[in-house]
Amino acid sequence: MWGGRFAEGPAAVMREINASIPFDKRLWRQDIAGSRAHVEMLAAQGVVSAADAARIGEGLAQVAAEYEAQGVPEDLALEDIHMATESRLAELIGPAAGRLHTARSRNDQVATDFRLWVRDAIDSVDRGLKALLQALVARADEHAASVMPGFTHLQVAQPVTLGHHLMAYHEMIRRDRSRFGDARVRLNECPLGAAALAGTGFPIDRHATAAALGFDRPTANSLDSVSDRDFALDYLMAATQCALHLSRLAEEIIIWASQPYGFVKLPDAYSTGSSIMPQKRNPDAAELVRGHSGRIAGCMTALVMTMKGLPLAYSKDMQDDKPPVFEAHDLLALSIAAMTGMVETITFRTDRMRAAAEAGFSTATDLADWLVRIGDIPFREAHHITGRVVKLAEERGAALVDLPLDALQAIDARIDARLYDALSVDASVASRRSHGGTAPDQVRARIADARAALEDEA
Ligand code: ARG
């Protein structure tokens, strides 16, 4: 296609390093859509005849049908999806095919195709994340009042409700959707018509092609249009942040599923066995979600490094933008689907969670708070008294609620029997009614907000 000035063909290794068709064939739908919009615009502007445009349009439809039926052939000599399609078009319709590339370059073509692809990727991730949110909200509602230990430093800290814990992930995933949404807004400008780098002398209508392809407007600067990959980086950064969130939930599922915790049981559908240890039931899906997050972050880093320091406008380095985006997207889509499946089907062993919350002196803060409220003792002093109570409980191997009143009063005479009401894990969680706190009625209120927001979208 570009051999006019060359006497010899490329070396085999040149062909191989140069070709992107093995991976960019994944853009074929977007490439066909971009070409159709382009040729229709060219005809409307009188740059190509209506007859040629019709022939090209029919030819492109046939190429698309072939790709759909047989896949895209991988001919390294044709380099990329753009040339593969144009060359097949020429075989099908003859010389008129040569008019398609008028007022266009592969530089604006690939930028357009890739934006369209990433836009679809964002939309599909968003659908997946919405399903995950719905699953989290449903399970949180079921467990709005189920008590579990809340941790800091992975040490039992204060009792919380399982619903509250799950709704924490709802918040993370809600922000992830918003990040993808922001990326989509910035992405949605059309580079088609920037041509190689400087624009074109043909009387094209960039607003028409932008509208035909569902973009909000054409891009404003032709140099930027062919050299910008922010949209791919925005996607990868949002994907990385989202994968980090998924990895944290995955990690908790892994910890919770281990026998010493026993907080959850994963269904058979999301567990694997061991070939040597018959008793094993491994949380492989959760481990792979955790692992994939590292690979997704790696994809993000790869494109950051590719783009760093590139001069304007297009450089071939940028051909390497696609593999990390494709890889990250596939990994993220799988991770979201697997996490949604796990959240929907996991069994929470609320008896074990409650026992763990009761075992770890998790209501020690409630004891100190009681001393402040009822005894009007400064918090620092109350903290000190509580420390002595915890020490005593530890020595006796007893829970705080099980210490006799005389033993408590020996530590501080201001303690009376009303204290026991404050020491149960249920009383503890019920008391934390501050906005966004773990009290079951607070959790239910946040669940109602979340449901309303999800329904508002529909
Ligand atoms: N396959 C190329 C890519 O993905 C298309 C653009 C090629 N442009 C060029 N001037 N060689 O980036």
Side-chain angles (χ1 to χ4, degrees):
M1 296 242 172
W2 40 252
R5 73 182 295 282
F6 289 85
E8 284 171 35
V13 68
M14 176 62 207
R15 220 163 238 179
E16 195 178 339
I17 195 173
N18 201 34
S20 54
I21 187 75
F23 52 85
D24 70 15
K25 61 185 185 181
R26 210 167 157 174
L27 298 174
W28 74 260
R29 283 192 175 79
Q30 291 73 21
D31 198 65
I32 300 268
S35 288
R36 297 187 85 158
H38 183 66
V39 76
E40 277 162 30
M41 179 278 291
L42 291 179
Q45 296 298 105
V47 179
V48 303
S49 70
D52 280 343
R55 238 171 269 138
I56 290 171
E58 283 157 25
L60 286 169
Q62 187 173 338
V63 177
E66 290 176 7
Y67 287 168
E68 187 79 75
Q70 295 138 38
V72 179
E74 253 184 56
D75 180 353
L76 295 195
L78 292 172
E79 281 187 31
D80 56 27
I81 184 62
H82 324 296
M83 301 227 287
T85 300
E86 196 184 321
S87 132
R88 182 64 188 138
L89 183 68
E91 285 170 9
L92 291 172
I93 70 163
R99 298 192 187 277
L100 171 60
H101 213 52
T102 314
R104 180 177 86 169
S105 148
R106 280 186 290 156
N107 295 349
D108 59 337
Q109 194 179 350
V110 74
T112 306
D113 293 1
F114 200 24
R115 279 188 194 236
L116 289 170
W117 193 93
V118 173
R119 193 173 71 186
D120 287 346
I122 288 174
D123 292 344
S124 99
V125 165
D126 187 67
R127 284 190 295 275
L129 291 179
K130 183 170 183 183
L132 176 54
L133 284 182
Q134 283 161 333
L136 285 166
V137 167
R139 300 310 304 270
D141 197 19
E142 232 176 276
H143 292 289
S146 305
V147 174
M148 66 175 284
F151 299 89
T152 59
H153 314 268
L154 203 55
Q155 303 284 312
V156 171
Q158 293 173 349
V160 296
T161 55
L162 174 56
H164 194 52
H165 196 110
L166 293 173
M167 286 303 283
Y169 285 99
H170 167 277
E171 288 303 294
M172 295 177 229
I173 301 299
R174 186 180 61 76
R175 291 193 297 272
D176 290 333
R177 289 185 78 198
S178 143
R179 256 181 291 275
F180 281 112
D182 292 346
R184 196 189 195 286
V185 170
R186 279 190 295 278
L187 165 150
N188 210 29
E189 297 185 347
C190 186
L192 193 59
L197 75 166
T200 176
F202 291 100
I204 61 170
D205 181 353
R206 293 193 58 210
H207 292 274
T209 43
L213 294 168
F215 288 105
D216 296 329
R217 63 191 74 84
T219 49
N221 180 293
S222 62
L223 290 167
D224 178 56
S225 304
V226 296
S227 70
D228 166 38
R229 292 295 181 273
D230 293 7
F231 65 90
L233 285 167
D234 274 351
Y235 175 81
L236 287 171
M237 289 175 187
T240 298
Q241 178 68 78
C242 179
L244 292 186
H245 290 150
L246 296 178
S247 80
R248 297 181 70 176
L249 181 52
E251 169 78 351
E252 297 206 302
I253 290 173
I254 294 160
I255 292 173
W256 293 353
S258 84
Q259 287 77 4
Y261 270 77
F263 282 8
V264 297
K265 183 167 178 236
L266 280 166
D268 290 354
Y270 288 95
S271 308
T272 54
S274 157
S275 50
I276 180 163
M277 296 166 284
Q279 86 284 9
K280 286 303 281 296
R281 179 186 189 79
N282 296 328
D284 290 35
E287 291 170 277
L288 286 164
V289 170
R290 185 176 61 182
H292 285 357
S293 66
R295 291 176 61 190
I296 291 168
C299 291
M300 185 269 288
T301 310
L303 187 55
V304 167
M305 296 319 294
T306 294
M307 295 309 295
K308 178 185 174 300
L310 284 188
L312 297 183
Y314 177 85
S315 299
K316 196 67 172 248
D317 315 42
M318 291 164 65
Q319 177 164 283
D320 281 343
D321 56 358
K322 287 167 280 298
V325 171
F326 293 157
E327 183 182 355
H329 178 69
D330 292 342
L331 292 171
L332 184 64
L334 259 178
S335 298
I336 294 168
M339 186 53 81
T340 305
M342 285 188 277
V343 169
E344 282 168 346
T345 57
I346 202 165
T347 304
F348 293 106
R349 298 179 59 190
T350 48
D351 53 330
R352 300 263 316 177
M353 291 182 167
R354 171 175 285 271
E358 282 169 347
F361 309 121
S362 66
T363 56
T365 315
D366 299 279
L367 198 167
D369 287 350
W370 185 89
L371 292 170
V372 170
R373 262 201 309 269
I374 307 296
D376 194 26
I377 300 170
F379 183 77
R380 281 289 152 231
E381 191 189 340
H383 186 283
H384 185 77
I385 297 165
T386 305
R388 292 178 57 205
V389 174
V390 169
K391 187 158 174 278
L392 177 70
E394 237 167 9
E395 280 161 11
R396 297 197 178 186
L400 296 178
V401 264
D402 295 330
L403 291 173
L405 186 58
D406 57 350
L408 292 173
Q409 285 173 335
I411 290 173
D412 195 288
R414 289 167 289 189
I415 295 175
D416 65 49
R418 289 172 298 173
L419 172 64
Y420 290 100
D421 294 335
L423 289 187
S424 78
V425 291
D426 293 295
S428 171
V429 295
S431 73
R432 300 195 190 281
R433 285 203 181 81
S434 51
H435 183 90
T438 197
D441 52 1
Q442 270 300 313
V443 174
R444 290 195 182 96
R446 299 290 80 77
I447 289 171
D449 293 346
R451 284 205 160 122
L454 285 167
E455 272 156 31
D456 255 13
E457 289 173 24

